[in-house]
């Protein structure tokens, strides 16, 4: 076995979780979970983990790449279809309690799996691998930190460049170019650059609008560095802020800061969301903060857990999550301030360091 395979702990973490849940096998189909567990993400394939071994099944196109990249599992290259392989290969027979990813396996696949494995009891689960992946190893934290560093460098250059007359879409192109120039493989999501009234749309697409004096301009950008994402939002004002702009900005900033002060391991994400939401609600803007407070960040920019009033999830040490309250007033504009934090026992570490006092350009 290769040394790098011996160091690979991720499949073992899932096996430990399987023991706790008394599961005899775990069938993995979600691409990002395959990537996390086995270090490889083909466009087609699956993995099966048993208590003492694992297989990674993919097709001929990935034969060489899979043999080079896959960790923690034996690679099986199928020649027909994935379904044929499942049906014919006796090494893939399943018995006992078999966990499946209820929110990612297609009905088609589920039916096939059931018919080929009549002695297996399929158990639909969600977020098992996702929760393991949410607690980051030190090397993963270093990669996220580097992704953040690159995005903050780009963001500060964008601030230096901002002036009336520039088109949102052109700024988005600059962000993409600079992310790559500074060592990222690309953006972790399509940059959101929203000016004026568009800043009231939390997921605005950068368009042909030109920045004007008096605008709020929101940049929500992130990159991928060695497979790990960053996700940062800052809102700036072009010219001098009006009293209302300053009031809304300060409100969102207070919500962001109070949530950061409250975040710690053992806390329910629901309660953390509430810390920020209560401040905004008390000021009369609760209905203008229509999304959750944050989400996990890792190999995907929107990862487990969601930090929201809609779900309960216990925060654990070394989860990396965003804190991104916002207030959006249709026809007027909006503000969002987003940081990436690492959950620790008794508190958190703020991984982003870009200034948060209102910058007037
Ligand atoms: Mn985000």
């Amino acid at each position: 076995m290769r040394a790098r395979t011996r160091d690979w702990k991720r499949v073992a973490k899932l096996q430990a979780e399987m023991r706790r849940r008394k599961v005899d096998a775990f069938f993995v189909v979600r691409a990002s979970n395959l990537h996390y567990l086995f270090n490889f993400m083909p466009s087609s394939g699956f993995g099966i983990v048993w208590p003492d071994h694992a297989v990674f099944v993919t097709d001929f196109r990935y034969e060489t790449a899979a043999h080079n990249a896959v960790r923690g599992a034996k690679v099986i290259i199928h020649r027909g279809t994935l379904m044929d392989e499942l049906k014919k290969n006796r090494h893939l027979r399943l018995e006992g309690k078999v966990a499946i990813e209820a929110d990612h396996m297609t009905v088609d696949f589920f039916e096939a799996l059931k018919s080929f494995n009549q002695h297996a009891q399929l158990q639909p689960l969600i977020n098992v691998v996702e929760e393991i992946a949410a607690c980051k190893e030190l090397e993963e934290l270093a990669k996220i930190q580097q992704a953040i560093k690159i995005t903050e460098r780009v963001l500060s250059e964008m601030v230096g460049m901002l002036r009336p007359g520039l088109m949102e879409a052109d700024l988005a192109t600059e962000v993409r170019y600079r992310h790559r120039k500074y060592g990222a493989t690309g953006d972790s999501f399509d940059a959101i650059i929203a000016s004026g009234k568009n800043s009231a749309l939390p997921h605005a697409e950068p368009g042909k609008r030109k920045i004007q004096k008096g605008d709020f301009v929101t940049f929500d950008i992130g990159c991928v560095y060695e497979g790990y994402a960053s996700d940062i939002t800052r809102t700036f004002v072009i010219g001098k802020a009006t009293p209302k702009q300053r009031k809304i900005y300060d409100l969102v900033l207070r919500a962001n800061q109070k949530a950061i002060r409250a975040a710690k391991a053992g806390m329910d994400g629901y309660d953390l969301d509430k810390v920020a939401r209560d401040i905004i609600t008390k000021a009369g803007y609760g209905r203008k903060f229509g999304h959750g407070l944050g989400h996990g960040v890792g190999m995907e920019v929107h990862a487990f857990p969601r930090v929201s009033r809609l779900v309960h999830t216990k925060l654990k040490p070394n989860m990396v999550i965003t804190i991104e309250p916002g207030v959006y007033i249709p026809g007027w504009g909006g503000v969002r301030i987003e940081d990436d934090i690492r959950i620790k026992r008794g508190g958190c570490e703020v991984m982003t360091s870009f200034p948060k006092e209102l910058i007037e350009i």
Side-chain angles (χ1 to χ4, degrees):
M1 261 195 158
R2 287 163 295 197
R4 281 158 77 197
T5 301
R6 273 204 303 276
D7 297 335
W8 195 251
K9 301 267 165 43
R10 296 179 183 176
V11 174
K13 288 182 189 175
L14 177 58
Q15 287 164 331
E17 186 58 30
M18 287 164 60
R19 281 194 293 279
R20 271 193 289 279
R21 292 172 181 264
K22 305 201 186 328
V23 157
D24 301 301
F26 202 107
F27 203 100
V28 187
V29 292
R30 186 181 191 187
S32 58
N33 287 343
L34 291 171
H35 193 188
Y36 174 77
L37 286 171
F38 306 112
N39 192 44
F40 190 59
M41 188 164 67
S43 62
S44 158
F46 60 79
I48 308 176
V49 178
W50 285 277
D52 56 353
H53 71 295
V55 298
F56 187 102
V57 182
T58 186
D59 64 67
F60 169 78
R61 291 172 296 167
Y62 299 104
E63 186 165 14
T64 305
H67 279 111
N68 288 337
V70 168
R71 302 278 170 264
K74 180 174 177 278
V75 173
I76 295 178
I77 302 298
H78 71 79
R79 305 285 159 180
T81 67
L82 281 179
M83 299 283 198
D84 290 341
E85 191 68 22
L86 260 180
K87 190 173 177 179
K88 289 182 202 146
N89 189 336
R90 61 188 175 80
H91 297 296
L92 305 182
R93 279 292 140 277
L94 297 166
E95 285 177 359
K97 228 196 243 184
V98 179
I100 55 163
E101 299 169 303
D103 48 350
H104 291 281
M105 183 176 281
T106 62
V107 175
D108 207 30
F109 209 105
F110 176 79
E111 293 297 345
L113 204 56
K114 216 164 53 171
S115 71
F116 304 153
N117 297 284
Q118 291 176 359
H119 298 292
Q121 204 189 320
L122 300 185
Q123 189 175 41
L125 295 173
I126 58 165
N127 287 337
V128 177
V129 178
E130 288 84 344
E131 187 164 355
I132 294 169
C135 298
K136 303 295 186 292
E137 298 151 12
L138 291 181
E139 305 88 89
E140 295 183 284
L141 291 167
K143 289 173 183 174
I144 295 170
Q145 189 65 71
Q146 183 60 24
I148 289 170
K149 204 173 154 193
I150 293 169
T151 293
E152 293 192 322
R153 178 173 181 187
V154 172
L155 191 56
S156 68
E157 290 185 2
M158 298 311 291
V159 170
M161 184 188 300
L162 260 185
R163 56 182 159 73
L166 291 176
M167 200 190 284
E168 291 173 350
D170 289 340
L171 292 167
T173 305
E174 282 294 330
V175 168
R176 195 174 313 128
Y177 163 68
R178 281 156 204 263
H179 270 152
R180 292 191 70 118
K181 185 171 157 189
Y182 300 137
T185 46
D187 289 2
S188 52
F189 58 96
D190 286 340
I192 296 170
I193 295 164
S195 64
K197 289 175 188 174
N198 294 345
S199 62
L201 313 172
H203 271 193
E205 212 180 298
K208 291 191 170 152
R209 190 180 183 283
K210 287 180 176 161
I211 308 248
Q212 295 168 21
K213 196 162 179 288
D215 279 354
F216 266 142
V217 183
T218 296
F219 280 78
D220 184 351
I221 63 175
C223 71
V224 177
Y225 176 77
E226 291 189 3
Y228 287 82
S230 57
D231 186 9
I232 304 165
T233 308
R234 291 291 185 269
T235 301
F236 311 108
V237 68
I238 309 297
K240 203 167 157 40
T242 64
K244 185 172 178 186
Q245 281 176 324
R246 190 161 282 284
K247 183 182 97 171
I248 298 295
Y249 191 91
D250 288 342
L251 176 62
V252 174
L253 181 57
R254 267 194 294 131
N256 165 290
Q257 288 168 328
K258 192 143 187 221
I260 286 172
R261 278 198 299 273
K264 60 179 180 189
M267 190 175 195
D268 190 324
Y270 176 97
D271 296 317
L272 185 55
D273 176 285
K274 193 172 183 312
V275 168
R277 194 166 302 279
D278 281 352
I279 291 175
I280 292 174
T281 303
K282 250 182 234 157
Y285 292 94
R287 295 178 66 89
K288 308 290 183 216
F289 174 26
H291 57 72
L293 178 66
H295 54 83
V297 174
M299 296 171 82
E300 291 182 296
V301 69
H302 290 136
F304 181 89
R306 284 172 72 187
V307 180
S308 152
R309 68 196 189 287
L310 304 176
V311 288
H312 289 275
T313 322
K314 201 176 189 188
L315 299 177
K316 294 182 174 174
N318 291 334
M319 280 184 174
V320 176
I321 61 168
T322 66
I323 299 290
E324 49 177 312
V327 167
Y328 311 92
I329 304 174
W332 181 75
V335 174
R336 178 167 65 258
I337 303 171
E338 175 181 39
D339 289 306
D340 301 341
I341 67 168
R342 166 191 179 187
I343 299 294
K344 295 167 72 170
R345 288 178 209 289
C348 75
E349 174 199 326
V350 185
M351 298 176 79
T352 35
S353 58
F354 201 92
K356 289 193 278 192
E357 60 273 14
L358 180 58
I359 298 177
E360 299 173 308
I361 288 158

